Amino acid sequence: MVSDHLSKAQIRIERLASRDALSVEERQSKSLEISTKGADALTPAAGTIVSGFLPIRSEADLRPLMDGLRKKRARICLPVILDRETIVFREFAKGAELVKTGFGTTGPDENAAVLDPQILLVPLSAFDANGHRIGYGAGHYDRAIARLHAKGLNPTLIGIAFDCQEVPSVPAEAHDVALDAVLTESGIRFFRCRTAE
């Protein structure tokens, strides 16, 4: 287990190494568990905009979960990195062609509608039992969440991770926005008195 005094960068390196150590078969199996449990737990109203993501490196594969939410008539979007600072969320229509969108990701092209998600499924390096997360260090999601808040929007933030990415404590800073919940292969855990609508 990671000790409490490590820096965010050290925790990120350790937890990503732990995630990378999962075999392809383990990742596939755990990803299916995440998708199944997420589809059971999340009941968005028809038309709710949900931002997912396509896996890079050793991330969980959320495609089955996004398909399940689409069947519940949620509108799915994916993050697209416009420049080093900015991500937007483009609608991911069924069968849409995907293009390279930066930071190793793929997503819909510039013809797709830009949406403001009501639920964000957020990739991360590490998380703790208080809902604090460590991202990948570029701050893309922090800035995207800040922009949504500046528009008066308050999306539900659900971290996506494997159980092996949990740590005893994340060194949170004043500007850090805590997750509302985390979804792992063990299921969904809410940190605040809020549900994903």
Side-chain angles (χ1 to χ4, degrees):
M1 217 24 142
V2 183
S3 65
D4 288 343
H5 67 278
L6 293 179
S7 71
K8 281 187 176 182
Q10 291 169 310
I11 295 171
R12 180 182 299 114
I13 289 166
E14 287 195 2
R15 290 304 89 201
L16 288 179
S18 179
R19 190 180 77 184
D20 291 344
L22 295 172
S23 69
V24 171
E25 294 77 16
E26 286 175 305
R27 274 202 304 277
Q28 288 172 339
S29 171
K30 290 174 189 295
S31 291
L32 281 174
E33 284 292 314
I34 288 170
S35 289
T36 300
K37 289 177 177 166
D40 289 343
L42 302 176
T43 54
T48 299
I49 300 169
V50 180
S51 172
F53 58 88
L54 297 176
I56 59 170
R57 301 188 292 265
S58 56
E59 287 177 343
D61 185 348
L62 297 186
R63 284 175 287 195
L65 175 55
M66 290 188 287
D67 286 344
L69 294 174
R70 193 180 273 122
K71 285 177 184 158
K72 294 181 180 183
R73 298 186 14 214
R75 291 179 75 185
I76 305 299
C77 57
L78 296 175
V80 173
I81 300 171
L82 296 183
D83 55 47
R84 293 184 72 82
E85 296 294 313
T86 311
I87 53 176
V88 296
F89 300 93
R90 290 183 183 158
E91 186 160 20
F92 181 32
K94 187 98 173 134
E97 189 173 334
L98 300 175
V99 297
K100 291 187 185 306
T101 53
F103 208 65
T105 64
T106 55
D109 67 20
E110 65 277 358
N111 296 314
V114 173
L115 304 174
D116 288 330
Q118 295 158 281
I119 299 173
L120 266 81
L121 304 179
V122 183
L124 52 83
S125 300
F127 69 95
D128 67 18
N130 294 312
H132 298 296
R133 66 177 270 275
I134 297 174
Y136 295 143
H140 289 119
Y141 273 88
D142 294 328
R143 287 188 296 277
I145 292 163
R147 277 193 302 279
L148 291 168
H149 286 171
K151 290 170 129 180
L153 304 173
N154 193 23
T156 299
L157 308 176
I158 303 174
I160 303 294
F162 297 118
D163 287 335
C164 66
Q165 293 173 256
E166 184 169 4
V167 296
S169 178
V170 165
E173 298 167 40
H175 65 272
D176 289 337
V177 178
L179 298 166
D180 295 292
V182 70
L183 174 60
T184 72
E185 68 269 26
S186 295
I188 195 161
R189 186 183 343 164
F190 285 93
F191 301 114
R192 296 190 263 170
C193 298
R194 198 171 155 181
T195 57
E197 298 149 359

